[in-house]
C-alpha cells in the first residue's frame, strides 16, 4: 500500500460509511445509486433518466433482477442493454470506459473526493462563483432600478433607457454563464448529454460546441452551394438543424436516393437563445429546370408554420408537425430530379416568428408550390431564417417509381445538352478520301466510306 | 527611356564641370558628345559614315525565324458572341483570369463555358488587382453582377422523351452459343434441403402446472431452429462460393472474370498471410499493406450500406403489401361466407 493510500484510507472509510448509511432502498441492488441520485438531484429535467431503471418488483427471480441492474444507463456496458436503452429513449450515459469506471469504483460523491489539491481547487472555484453570484444580485438590482427610472430624467430619453436596460440584461446573462462555467459538475452533466437547456450555461456550452464544427460545415455548404445569393441575399444561421431520413443522420449536402427521401425527414432543431417562439419549416428545391425560358425555378416541397418551440425541445419529425402543435400549409412532396438534369439542391430552412401565421393564407400563397420564394415567405410572415440544412437529389433508378406513386408528372422527360452550331463557316471536305467519294470510285468504298 | 539614357552622361558632365580645369575646345566637344542622345541609327547617321553591310538594313526589325510563333493574345473581343469551348485568350501565366462562365485551361488559356457575350472586366470585391474575362448571356449585361443578387443561370438543355430500357441483355452470342455457362456447386442433398422447423407454439392444452416444461421445450425448439438456420445459411454460403459462372471469351473459350478469380483468395481487402504473424514488425507491415488496400473502399462501403438500407426498405414494403393482400383476401372470404349464409337462410 502506498503512502498516500495509507493516508487516505480512514477518510475513505468514513465517507463510505456515511454514504451507505443513507436511507436509500435502491442501494441494495445498484452499486451506483449515489451517483445516480446526485445526477438526478442536480438536474430538473432528469426525470427520464430517473425512470430508466425501473425498480425490480420483489418476488421475481434473481435473473430478472440482474437484468434490471444491467439496464442502468449509468453503468451498463452490455450491447443488448445499450440497444434496449437507446430504444427506450434513455441512452447510456457517457463512454463505456466511463461506465465501467463508475461501476467498479467506490461510491464517493464527486464533490467529496478525498484529494487535497482537488478540494483546494474546488474551494477557489466556489469563492469565484460566490463572487459572481454577488455580482448577479447587484446586476439584478440595477436592472430593476433601470426599469423604474423615468426616461425624462435621462439625456437620450426612451431610446437611451431601452439601450441601458438591454446592456444591463446582457451583462446579467453573461454573469449567469460565468458563475457556472467553471463548475466541473456542470461540465460533466453537459458532456453526458444531461444538460438542462432551459439554463443559460448549458445553452452557452451547446452553442459553443455547435459553433466549433457543425456550424462551420453548414456555413460552408451555404456558400459552396450558393444558397446565399440564390435563395437569400444574406443569412447567418443561429440554430442547429440536423437532418434525419428514416432514422439515419444525413450529412449536409449529401446526394440521397429518391426512395429514401420519399418520406418526410425528421429534424433536430436546437435553438440557443432563451424563450418561447414559433418556428416555420420550409423545404425548397432551388434547381427546378424550366425549358420555356431556359432557366431554373424554385419549388416548395414542404411548408409548416406555428410550431411552438423552446431550447428544451429538440426533435421535430416533419411527418408529425401537427402533433407538435404546428400547422402544415404545404404537405411533403418527395424530391425528384428528371433524368439528365443537374442535381437539385433541397434547402431546409427553419424560420422563427413571434406571432401566429394563418395557415390558410400560406396555403393560398404557396399551395401551388411553383415559383416559391423564401424572401416572399419572410415578408408575408415576418419570420427570420435561423436554421439551415440541405441535401441533394439526382435521377436514380427509383425516381420513376416514386414519381408514379405520388402522381408527379414528368418522369418521361429526359434532358440533353443543348447543341451549338459552330461559328466557323462550313468548309468542303478535303483530302484523298473526299476526292474519291463519287460513283467512279465505287471499288474503293472499303477505304473511302469513313470520312471525318 | 530617353531621359534614363541621358542621366549618366549628364552626371558625368556635371562631375567634369565641377572639376577645376581649364576649358579646352577638345573637352567641350567631348561634353557635347556625352550629352547627345544615344539612339543607334541617328548617331551613326550623323557621322555620315556607314560601316555595316547593306544586308543589315532594318535587320533589327526582323524576327528570329528559328522559333515558332506562339500566337498569344486575345482571340475574341468584348461583346463578341461565343459558344462553349471557344478560346477567348491565350497567354503565358494568368495575365487575365477566368471570370463568370469562363474556364481556365491547363496552359492558362481562357475558354467560354456557355454561349454568350465576352466581357473583359475587373472585380475589386473578388480581387483588387486581377483582371477577368467573363461571358454573359445577354449582351447588355455588365460584369461583375451585383454582389447579393441571385446568380444568373441558364439551363442550357433541351428536353426529349426518355428512352426506357426494356430490352433484356442477350443470352446468346452472335454465333449462337451461350454467353455464359453456370457450373453449379455440388451440395449434399440432406443439408441443403433442410428448412427451419415451422413452429414451436405453445400447445393450447398445457396445464398451469407444467408451464415450466413447456417453456423448456420452447427453449429447446428455439435452439434447434437456430442451429438449423445456421446450417442453412452455411449451405447457402457454400453454394454461393462454389458456384462458378463462366463467360464466353473472344477466342470462344469459357472462363471466369478476373475479379472472380481474384475473389478465390478472399473478400475485398483481404491480405494473404495477414492472419497470423511472427513478429510485431510483420504485423505492422501487414497493417500498412491492408491500409493501402482499404484505401478507396470507403465509397464502396457507403454504397453497400445504402444498398442494404434500400433492401430493408424493399422488404418492409413487400411485407406490408403481403399483409394488405391477406387482409383483403380475408375480407373477401368473409363477405363470401356472409353471402353463403344469407343464401342458406333464404333457402331455409
Amino acid at each position: 500500500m502506498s503512502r498516500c493510500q495509507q493516508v487516505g484510507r480512514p477518510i475513505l472509510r468514513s465517507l463510505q460509511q456515511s454514504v451507505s448509511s443513507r436511507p436509500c432502498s435502491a442501494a441494495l441492488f445498484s452499486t451506483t445509486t449515489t451517483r445516480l441520485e446526485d445526477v438526478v438531484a442536480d438536474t430538473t429535467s432528469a426525470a427520464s433518466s430517473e425512470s430508466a431503471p425501473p425498480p425490480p418488483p420483489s418476488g421475481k427471480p434473481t435473473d430478472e433482477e440482474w437484468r434490471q441492474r444491467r439496464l442502468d444507463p449509468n453503468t451498463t456496458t452490455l450491447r443488448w442493454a445499450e440497444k434496449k436503452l437507446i430504444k427506450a429513449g434513455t441512452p447510456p450515459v457517457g463512454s463505456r470506459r466511463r461506465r465501467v469506471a463508475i461501476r467498479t469504483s467506490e461510491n464517493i460523491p464527486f464533490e467529496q473526493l478525498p484529494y487535497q489539491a482537488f478540494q483546494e481547487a474546488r474551494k477557489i472555484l466556489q469563492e469565484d462563483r460566490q463572487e459572481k453570484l454577488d455580482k448577479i444580485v447587484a446586476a439584478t438590482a440595477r436592472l430593476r432600478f433601470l426599469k423604474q427610472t423615468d426616461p425624462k430624467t435621462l439625456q437620450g430619453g426612451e431610446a437611451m433607457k431601452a439601450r441601458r436596460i438591454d446592456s444591463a440584461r446582457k451583462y446579467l446573462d453573461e454573469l449567469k454563464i460565468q458563475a457556472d462555467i467553471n463548475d466541473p459538475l456542470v461540465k460533466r452533466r453537459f458532456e453526458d448529454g444531461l444538460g438542462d437547456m432551459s439554463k443559460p450555461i448549458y445553452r452557452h456550452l451547446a452553442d459553443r460546441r455547435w459553433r466549433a464544427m457543425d456550424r462551420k460545415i453548414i456555413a460552408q455548404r451555404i456558400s459552396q452551394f450558393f444558397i446565399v445569393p440564390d435563395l437569400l441575399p444574406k443569412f447567418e444561421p443561429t440554430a442547429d438543424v440536423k437532418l434525419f431520413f428514416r432514422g439515419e443522420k444525413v450529412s449536409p449536402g449529401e446526394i440521397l436516393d429518391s426512395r429514401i427521401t420519399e418520406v418526410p425527414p425528421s429534424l433536430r432543431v436546437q435553438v440557443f437563445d432563451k424563450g418561447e417562439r414559433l418556428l416555420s419549416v420550409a423545404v425548397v428545391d432551388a434547381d427546378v429546370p424550366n425549358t420555356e425560358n431556359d432557366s431554373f425555378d424554385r419549388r416548395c416541397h414542404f411548408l409548416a408554420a406555428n410550431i411552438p418551440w423552446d431550447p428544451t425541445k429538440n426533435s421535430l419529425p416533419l411527418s408529425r408537425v401537427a402533433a407538435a402543435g404546428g400547422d402544415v400549409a404545404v404537405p411533403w412532396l418527395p424530391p425528384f430530379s428528371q433524368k439528365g438534369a443537374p442535381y437539385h439542391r433541397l434547402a431546409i430552412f427553419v424560420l422563427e416568428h413571434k406571432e401566429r401565421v394563418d395557415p390558410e393564407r400560406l396555403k393560398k400563397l404557396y399551395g401551388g408550390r411553383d415559383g416559391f420564394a423564401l424572401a416572399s415567405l419572410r415578408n408575408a410572415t415576418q419570420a427570420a431564417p435561423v436554421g439551415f440544412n440541405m441535401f441533394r437529389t439526382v435521377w436514380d433508378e427509383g425516381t420513376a417509381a416514386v414519381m408514379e406513386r405520388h402522381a408527379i408528372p414528368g418522369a418521361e422527360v429526359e434532358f440533353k445538352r443543348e447543341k451549338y452550331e459552330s461559328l466557323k463557316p462550313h468548309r468542303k471536305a478535303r483530302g484523298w478520301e473526299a476526292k474519291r467519294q463519287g460513283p467512279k470510285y465505287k471499288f474503293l468504298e472499303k477505304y473511302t466510306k469513313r470520312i471525318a | 527611356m530617353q531621359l534614363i539614357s541621358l542621366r549618366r552622361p549628364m552626371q558625368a558632365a556635371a562631375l567634369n564641370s565641377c572639376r577645376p580645369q581649364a576649358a579646352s575646345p577638345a573637352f567641350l566637344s567631348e561634353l557635347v558628345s556625352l550629352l547627345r542622345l544615344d539612339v543607334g541609327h541617328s548617331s551613326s547617321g550623323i557621322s555620315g559614315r556607314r560601316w555595316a553591310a547593306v544586308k543589315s538594313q532594318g535587320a533589327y526589325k526582323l524576327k528570329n525565324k528559328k522559333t515558332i510563333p506562339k500566337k498569344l493574345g486575345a482571340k475574341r473581343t468584348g461583346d463578341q458572341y461565343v459558344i462553349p469551348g471557344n478560346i477567348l485568350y491565350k497567354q503565358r501565366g494568368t495575365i487575365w483570369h477566368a471570370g463568370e462562365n469562363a474556364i481556365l485551361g491547363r496552359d492558362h488559356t481562357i475558354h467560354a463555358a456557355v454561349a454568350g457575350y465576352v466581357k473583359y472586366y475587373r472585380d475589386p470585391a473578388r480581387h483588387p488587382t486581377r483582371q477577368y474575362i467573363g461571358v454573359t448571356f445577354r449582351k447588355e449585361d455588365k460584369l461583375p453582377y451585383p454582389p447579393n443578387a441571385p446568380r444568373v443561370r441558364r439551363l442550357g438543355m433541351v428536353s426529349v422523351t426518355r428512352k426506357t430500357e426494356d430490352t433484356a441483355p442477350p443470352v446468346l452470342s452472335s454465333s449462337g452459343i451461350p454467353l455464359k455457362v453456370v457450373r453449379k456447386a455440388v451440395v449434399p442433398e440432406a443439408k441443403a434441403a433442410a428448412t427451419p422447423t415451422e413452429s414451436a407454439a405453445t400447445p393450447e392444452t398445457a396445464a398451469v402446472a407444467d408451464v415450466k416444461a413447456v417453456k423448456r421445450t420452447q427453449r429447446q425448439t428455439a435452439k434447434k431452429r437456430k442451429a438449423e438456420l445456421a446450417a442453412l445459411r452455411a449451405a447457402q454460403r457454400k453454394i454461393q462460393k462454389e458456384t462458378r459462372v463462366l463467360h464466353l471469351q473472344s477466342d470462344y473459350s469459357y472462363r471466369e472474370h478476373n475479379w472472380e478469380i481474384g475473389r478465390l483468395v478472399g473478400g475485398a481487402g483481404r491480405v494473404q498471410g495477414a492472419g497470423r504473424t511472427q513478429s510485431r514488425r510483420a504485423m505492422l507491415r501487414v497493417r500498412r499493406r491492408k491500409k493501402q488496400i482499404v484505401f478507396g473502399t470507403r465509397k464502396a462501403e457507403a454504397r453497400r450500406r445504402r444498398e442494404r438500407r434500400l433492401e430493408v426498405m424493399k422488404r418492409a414494403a413487400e411485407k406490408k403489401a403481403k399483409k394488405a393482400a391477406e387482409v383483403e383476401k380475408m375480407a373477401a372470404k368473409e363477405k363470401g361466407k356472409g353471402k353463403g349464409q344469407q343464401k342458406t337462410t333464404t333457402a331455409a
Side-chain angles (χ1 to χ4, degrees), chain A residues 217 219-227 252 343 345, chain B residues 151:
Chain A
I217 290 171
Q220 191 187 37
R221 295 297 175 270
I222 287 170
S223 75
Q224 83 185 123
F225 288 117
F226 300 103
I227 298 298
Y343 64 72
R345 297 165 291 163
Chain B
R151 287 180 299 161

Side-chain angles (χ1 to χ4, degrees), chain B residues 253-319:
Chain B
S253 68
Y254 284 96
R255 73 178 190 86
E256 281 182 286
H257 284 325
N258 280 344
W259 71 266
E260 281 165 332
I261 294 169
R263 272 300 147 79
L264 290 174
V265 173
R270 176 75 173 273
V271 177
Q272 278 306 296
R276 200 174 298 152
T277 50
Q278 284 79 22
S279 64
R280 184 182 142 74
R281 180 173 284 194
M283 192 259 288
L284 288 173
R285 191 174 55 230
V286 164
R287 194 165 74 181
R288 214 157 43 231
R289 215 180 298 157
K290 249 188 186 172
K291 237 183 229 166
Q292 277 168 358
I293 289 174
V294 166
F295 178 77
T297 58
R298 230 164 51 182
K299 255 187 189 162
E301 178 54 41
R303 199 190 59 231
R304 244 171 278 144
R305 212 172 43 224
R306 203 163 55 232
E307 275 167 10
R308 237 178 287 144
R309 217 193 296 172
L310 284 175
E311 182 69 23
V312 167
M313 273 163 51
K314 207 173 101 188
R315 233 179 282 155
E318 271 171 16
K319 215 174 172 183

Side-chain angles (χ1 to χ4, degrees), chain A residues 260-277:
Chain A
I260 284 170
T261 57
E262 198 178 349
V263 294
S266 101
L267 304 181
R268 295 264 168 85
V269 182
Q270 181 65 62
V271 290
F272 301 109
D273 47 343
K274 71 173 172 195
E276 291 270 337
R277 82 266 347 248

Side-chain angles (χ1 to χ4, degrees), chain A residues 226 229-230 233 246 248 257 259-260 286-287 294 296 340 345 395 411-416 418 420-421 423, chain B residues 81-84 86 115 148-151 153-163 165 309-310 313:
Chain A
F226 300 103
D230 282 1
R246 297 180 188 265
E248 293 224 12
D257 196 291
R259 283 162 289 187
I260 284 170
D287 303 291
D294 197 15
F296 293 92
R345 297 165 291 163
W395 170 270
E412 72 288 341
V413 172
E414 182 181 346
F415 286 101
K416 288 254 168 86
E418 201 179 331
Y420 296 96
E421 280 293 308
L423 294 178
Chain B
Y81 181 76
V82 288
I83 61 168
N86 277 8
N148 288 330
R151 287 180 299 161
R153 295 190 291 160
R154 193 160 273 191
L155 178 61
M157 285 182 153
V158 287
S159 61
V160 294
T161 47
R162 183 168 62 91
K163 266 189 261 174
E165 303 90 25
R309 217 193 296 172
L310 284 175
M313 273 163 51

Side-chain angles (χ1 to χ4, degrees), chain A residues 22-34 36-37 53 55-56 69:
Chain A
R22 268 202 231 173
C24 179
S25 63
L28 295 174
F29 59 86
S30 173
T31 53
T32 59
T33 43
T34 48
L36 185 70
E37 260 190 358
R69 217 182 316 137

